[in-house]
Amino acid sequence: AEPSPSGPAASAAPAATPQIQLLPASAEGALDAAEEALDLLLDSGRSPGEVLVITTGAQHPWTEHELSFGEASYWAQHDAGDDVFYTDATFAARAADRPVVVVAVNGGSAETATTALSAAHSRAGALLIVCGDPQTINSVLGAGV
């Protein structure tokens, strides 16, 4: 095969579609459901650096804490790639691909949820876990998950 040009528009092979799991939870319980899913992933042998967690409403406490040191420090942890990285829908498009992406639909507008789910789907290599109200998620996705 001929080498393909490098750059954001080119890729060597089309990305596989990740498996999607829906964990029903209220908006108030979505973050807890995401934390439980993360614990199960880590307990089953997933490396922390393989997981990205995105919130659609209030930021995860880790995100708030790390951003208190400034965005440069926050993104340096992302770039290191050796731990779970937490972000919100605002920054999700900037996050790198990871094998597993967990989304907590914990509030925010439908537009925010759409943005987060779109970013999550494009960044998840093997597994996308969405925690939230199934009706809200289905209305955002436009079809059953």
Side-chain angles (χ1 to χ4, degrees):
E2 294 282 322
S4 61
S6 63
S11 66
T17 302
Q19 176 186 355
I20 300 173
Q21 293 180 359
L22 175 59
L23 300 179
S26 65
E28 297 78 22
L31 197 52
D32 288 338
E35 287 293 324
E36 289 174 25
L38 177 61
D39 289 344
L40 289 171
L41 288 165
L42 298 177
D43 289 347
S44 71
R46 279 281 178 190
S47 166
E50 294 181 342
V51 185
L52 171 66
V53 178
I54 302 171
T55 58
T56 63
Q59 290 180 333
H60 187 279
W62 184 93
T63 305
E64 291 177 5
H65 175 75
E66 293 303 320
L67 281 171
S68 72
F69 299 107
E71 278 197 45
S73 172
Y74 174 73
W75 287 107
Q77 291 206 8
H78 168 269
D79 296 342
D82 56 5
D83 204 354
V84 176
F85 189 75
Y86 297 86
T87 193
D88 63 23
T90 308
F91 297 124
R94 186 170 166 187
D97 295 357
R98 298 242 175 149
V100 180
V101 179
V102 179
V103 180
V105 183
N106 63 331
S109 68
E111 181 180 334
T112 300
T114 300
T115 300
L117 289 170
S118 176
H121 191 264
S122 68
R123 278 154 186 70
L127 179 61
L128 171 59
I129 300 172
V130 184
C131 307
D133 176 64
Q135 288 183 322
T136 301
I137 294 164
N138 287 337
S139 70
V140 166
L141 294 178
V145 176

